Amino acid sequence: MGSRLEVTYLVEAAASEIEARARALAVEQSVEMPVSAITERIVLDEIVGRVEAIAPAGEGRFAVTIGLADATIGADAGQLLSMLFGNSSLHDDVMLHDVTFPPATAAAFGGPRHGIAGFRARLGVGRRALTATALKPQGLPSAALADLAARFAEGGIDVIKDDHGIADQPVAPFAERVPRIAAAVHEARQKTGGTTLYVPNLSGDLDRMRTQVACARAAGVRAVMVAPMVAGFANVHTLVAENPDVLVLTHPSFGGASRIAPPLLFGKLFRLIGADAIVYPNFGGRFGWSPATCRALADAARAPWHGLAASLPVPAGGMTRERVPELLAFYGADVMLLIGGALLEARDDLVAATAQFVGAVHRHADVRP
Amino acid sequence: MGSRLEVTYLVEAAASEIEARARALAVEQSVEMPVSAITERIVLDEIVGRVEAIAPAGEGRFAVTIGLADATIGADAGQLLSMLFGNSSLHDDVMLHDVTFPPATAAAFGGPRHGIAGFRARLGVGRRALTATALKPQGLPSAALADLAARFAEGGIDVIKDDHGIADQPVAPFAERVPRIAAAVHEARQKTGGTTLYVPNLSGDLDRMRTQVACARAAGVRAVMVAPMVAGFANVHTLVAENPDVLVLTHPSFGGASRIAPPLLFGKLFRLIGADAIVYPNFGGRFGWSPATCRALADAARAPWHGLAASLPVPAGGMTRERVPELLAFYGADVMLLIGGALLEARDDLVAATAQFVGAVHRHADVRP
């Protein structure tokens, strides 16, 4: 008998219907055909999804746990998505809530190559929280982005990432932009003695992303950002495996379009395929996520899990310097705070605003809740 | 001045708030930063998203149309998704409703290489509707799948596709399965004089999908199925461009997880990146889509649109032979009906059941509504 993933869905249904719905869900996410028409014993025993548990979950919903054969997935990250939620995503009343992986499946995917410890090591930073910002807006030429990056670095920020809208547009092509920004950051580091890390954004198909990684490497950059829901899970997983020395930061672009619980999608699944750090929309910013969702996401990213490296949570999306103490009290030190637009608003005072943000994080005691 | 995509979102908001929400949406999907902090004239004029229209859309929602600069996208299909719905997908009260593309953008993406006419030409079939079925269940060895395929072909079906759960699992690896099934279908065609087409399912990263296409070609198979939401839009677009002689059928796996209007996602965006035929869950089957949604999807796939080839709609998901007259009256002849499980239920009578399905479609007059 092979092992099974335990997949929990939240299903809207009447109590009188939930058993039949659960059985239908188990079939939809495995053999996708009438079980009565299956003649092969081994398929019935090992492949057909199994209803493991049904429990009331409030608000007219039930938590339905289905056992899905690990053998149907292997270590193909794309196939993992199809098996977890391929057809059932087309049912409006089903939400993918959580997954428990067999240890061998987790090991086969491998998780982050660096994670929180890797970010700390690369930056030479001990137990304090990390700081990050974003280069924006899209539409700026490479020279202007490099100038911004230099000023952020002078302000002492740990990580500077491209905005995810900055791809490979003619106004700032990757091959021109990345060496230029890397050089500007390098120069600023020489001046300040800091360790600021630049993280360029990958885009396009797997070939183009590989070319971009090679270009980044040539410029001395061994950290990249990628949006798994856009790039395709399997391609991100491949990039992680091919570049064991590169830090991988994930962007949530297109990820909220799913009806997958954010702690599962960002905290577990992104971690599973190798995200060293995970950007997500924080509570109280421009997005409507609750503190509970954000905490569950950060917990899933950082908790001990099949021996996989812990991923670094990166709350973002409308954060401000004033919230640093609140956010560090909430998240503790194993976090990277990302403030973009609110620093850019300082315009000519960008270096000072950055330094204030950085100073607030450095000064904060580790008051892990 | 560059041209702009006109992107329409449905936004839940109070009438007093909708103007501010619309402006915020235009910023979120473009420069993602406070506009007041942008100093460059060209970015303000050409890159910042522009609110083009706001109109009540019923049920407390407004249709907000944003103009997004074509220059931010180029012809990168992944970047297209990020620009259309990257961050706003993270807002629960926003739905991506429709997009109007500038002609040059549509031409740059290119659309289907074959479309409806290409399927008809390959199959040697005139104006009647086409028939399709699926090989299932996952877990069967290659020999059993090949036997099923032979019987479907003997029944005279036009297209046999792999179930999307059949990937590259050890029980039926692609490199073993596809030549075997292709040979079985070829043999059945020799017997019946039919033109049945086998369409294997691609999975994995771009490299693996390329290897699979090459393997299919070597077996004489020039048609493939792929799930763009899993594989990544840019990778599918690349495969289409690299294989201009291959028919591409898309599977909706993971696609319903989005809050994107199905006619847009499946009918327009899948067509834009090159889907010759588009599988989607039909009304009245195992999925809850309405006839209006299905008609809008089929219309979007088939309507004249920037000179792109028309994609073939493939309604599926719990269809039965009894519904053939109803469905052909609804869709007309430019459709491929896909019945999987309901044929497999016939078990030993599979060939006869297939022949009945095929006969019902062949006999039906073209009563395009």
Side-chain angles (χ1 to χ4, degrees):
Chain A
M1 278 287 292
S3 56
R4 288 181 184 250
L5 287 75
E6 306 279 316
V7 189
T8 302
Y9 303 88
L10 294 178
V11 182
E12 292 170 34
S16 60
E17 292 168 359
I18 188 61
E19 285 201 29
R21 279 299 309 277
R23 280 196 303 273
L25 186 53
V27 168
E28 194 68 61
Q29 287 308 119
S30 57
V31 292
E32 241 192 285
M33 65 178 286
V35 175
S36 61
I38 300 175
T39 47
E40 298 74 13
R41 196 71 245 162
I42 192 165
V43 174
L44 290 168
D45 288 348
E46 309 241 341
I47 303 297
V48 175
R50 225 162 43 192
V51 178
E52 309 281 5
I54 301 175
E59 301 169 18
R61 298 194 299 184
F62 291 84
V64 172
T65 301
I66 308 285
L68 291 180
D70 179 52
T72 61
I73 294 165
D76 177 345
Q79 179 69 2
L80 172 66
L81 288 188
S82 268
M83 292 307 300
L84 293 180
F85 208 40
N87 274 8
S88 292
S89 77
L90 301 161
H91 281 126
D92 277 347
D93 50 4
V94 177
M95 184 172 168
L96 176 61
H97 181 65
D98 204 3
V99 182
T100 302
F101 290 91
T105 307
F109 279 103
R113 297 300 186 271
H114 307 273
I116 295 176
F119 264 91
R120 292 195 181 287
R122 185 77 72 83
L123 291 163
V125 168
R127 282 289 300 164
R128 69 162 167 82
L130 306 179
T131 55
T133 193
L135 294 178
K136 331 182 178 193
Q138 62 172 204
L140 284 190
S142 303
L145 292 168
D147 175 62
L148 270 182
R151 293 195 287 151
F152 279 133
E154 281 173 39
I157 203 109
D158 291 320
V159 168
I160 303 170
K161 72 163 189 71
D162 285 342
D163 197 25
H164 83 289
I166 297 179
D168 201 5
Q169 294 99 342
V171 67
F174 193 99
E176 173 196 275
R177 174 179 94 245
V178 172
R180 204 140 173 182
I181 295 171
V185 170
H186 183 75
E187 198 175 319
R189 278 172 14 181
Q190 301 291 93
K191 237 191 280 186
T192 63
T195 58
T196 304
L197 189 68
Y198 167 51
V199 185
N201 176 42
L202 306 183
S203 62
D205 65 17
L206 179 57
D207 295 341
R208 266 176 89 174
M209 292 195 293
R210 278 189 178 126
T211 304
Q212 290 165 359
V213 172
C215 169
R217 277 184 185 287
V221 173
R222 285 178 303 128
V224 297
M225 182 169 81
V226 63
M229 305 312 286
V230 173
F233 255 47
N235 300 291
V236 173
H237 194 220
T238 294
L239 284 178
V240 167
E242 287 177 353
N243 299 282
D245 61 329
V246 170
L247 294 171
V248 175
L249 176 74
T250 57
H251 191 279
S253 178
F254 210 64
S258 58
R259 287 193 318 280
I260 305 177
L264 171 62
L265 181 60
F266 299 103
K268 289 189 182 176
L269 298 183
F270 279 23
R271 179 180 180 185
L272 188 73
I273 63 169
D276 295 301
I278 299 165
V279 178
Y280 61 92
N282 197 38
F283 63 93
R286 299 198 309 273
F287 299 86
W289 290 11
S290 69
T293 295
C294 293
R295 176 173 306 289
L297 192 165
D299 285 351
R302 300 184 296 197
W305 195 47
H306 294 300
L308 302 185
S311 299
L312 183 64
V314 188
M319 296 299 95
T320 57
R321 280 171 280 161
E322 293 67 33
R323 292 189 65 196
V324 166
E326 170 211 346
L327 294 176
L328 294 184
F330 185 86
Y331 284 113
D334 278 340
V335 73
M336 180 153 71
L337 301 184
L338 194 159
I339 303 184
L343 295 182
L344 292 166
E345 271 185 319
R347 299 177 78 147
D348 289 347
D349 297 326
L350 181 72
V351 176
T354 303
Q356 282 166 19
F357 167 39
V358 167
V361 172
H362 289 205
R363 280 191 308 275
H364 195 274
D366 181 2
V367 287
R368 188 75 178 275
Chain B
M1 278 286 293
S3 56
R4 289 183 184 247
L5 287 76
E6 306 280 316
V7 190
T8 303
Y9 303 87
L10 294 178
V11 183
E12 293 171 33
S16 59
E17 291 168 0
I18 188 61
E19 284 201 29
R21 279 299 308 277
R23 279 196 303 272
L25 186 53
V27 168
E28 193 67 60
Q29 287 307 120
S30 57
V31 292
E32 245 191 281
M33 65 177 286
V35 176
S36 61
I38 299 176
T39 46
E40 299 73 11
R41 196 72 245 163
I42 191 164
V43 174
L44 290 168
D45 288 347
E46 309 242 340
I47 304 297
V48 175
R50 223 161 44 192
V51 178
E52 308 282 4
I54 301 175
E59 300 169 17
R61 298 194 297 186
F62 289 85
V64 173
T65 300
I66 308 284
L68 291 179
D70 180 52
T72 62
I73 293 166
D76 177 346
Q79 179 68 3
L80 173 66
L81 289 188
S82 268
M83 293 306 301
L84 293 179
F85 208 40
N87 274 8
S88 292
S89 77
L90 300 161
H91 281 124
D92 276 348
D93 50 4
V94 178
M95 185 173 167
L96 176 60
H97 182 66
D98 204 1
V99 183
T100 302
F101 290 91
T105 308
F109 279 103
R113 297 301 187 271
H114 306 273
I116 296 177
F119 263 92
R120 293 194 181 286
R122 185 77 72 83
L123 290 162
V125 167
R127 281 289 302 164
R128 70 162 168 82
L130 305 179
T131 57
T133 192
L135 294 178
K136 325 181 180 192
Q138 62 172 205
L140 283 190
S142 303
L145 292 169
D147 175 62
L148 270 182
R151 293 196 287 150
F152 279 133
E154 282 173 37
I157 202 108
D158 292 320
V159 167
I160 303 170
K161 73 165 189 68
D162 285 341
D163 198 24
H164 85 288
I166 297 180
D168 202 5
Q169 295 99 342
V171 66
F174 193 97
E176 174 196 275
R177 177 178 92 245
V178 173
R180 206 141 170 181
I181 295 171
V185 170
H186 184 76
E187 198 175 318
R189 278 173 12 182
Q190 301 290 92
K191 237 191 279 186
T192 63
T195 57
T196 303
L197 189 68
Y198 168 51
V199 185
N201 176 42
L202 306 183
S203 64
D205 65 18
L206 180 57
D207 295 341
R208 267 176 88 176
M209 293 196 292
R210 279 187 177 129
T211 303
Q212 290 165 359
V213 172
C215 169
R217 278 184 183 286
V221 173
R222 285 178 304 129
V224 297
M225 182 168 81
V226 63
M229 305 312 287
V230 173
F233 256 47
N235 300 290
V236 173
H237 194 219
T238 295
L239 284 178
V240 167
E242 288 177 354
N243 299 281
D245 60 330
V246 169
L247 294 171
V248 175
L249 177 73
T250 56
H251 191 279
S253 179
F254 210 66
S258 57
R259 286 194 321 278
I260 305 177
L264 170 62
L265 181 60
F266 298 104
K268 289 190 183 175
L269 298 182
F270 279 24
R271 179 180 180 186
L272 188 73
I273 63 168
D276 294 301
I278 299 164
V279 179
Y280 62 91
N282 196 36
F283 62 93
R286 299 197 310 273
F287 299 86
W289 289 11
S290 70
T293 295
C294 293
R295 175 173 308 288
L297 192 166
D299 285 351
R302 300 184 296 196
W305 194 47
H306 294 301
L308 302 185
S311 299
L312 183 63
V314 189
M319 296 300 96
T320 58
R321 281 171 279 160
E322 293 67 34
R323 293 188 64 196
V324 166
E326 170 212 344
L327 295 176
L328 294 184
F330 185 86
Y331 285 113
D334 277 340
V335 71
M336 179 153 70
L337 301 185
L338 193 159
I339 303 184
L343 295 183
L344 292 166
E345 270 186 316
R347 301 177 74 147
D348 289 347
D349 297 325
L350 180 72
V351 176
T354 304
Q356 281 167 19
F357 167 40
V358 167
V361 172
H362 288 207
R363 279 191 309 275
H364 195 275
D366 181 3
V367 288
R368 191 73 178 277

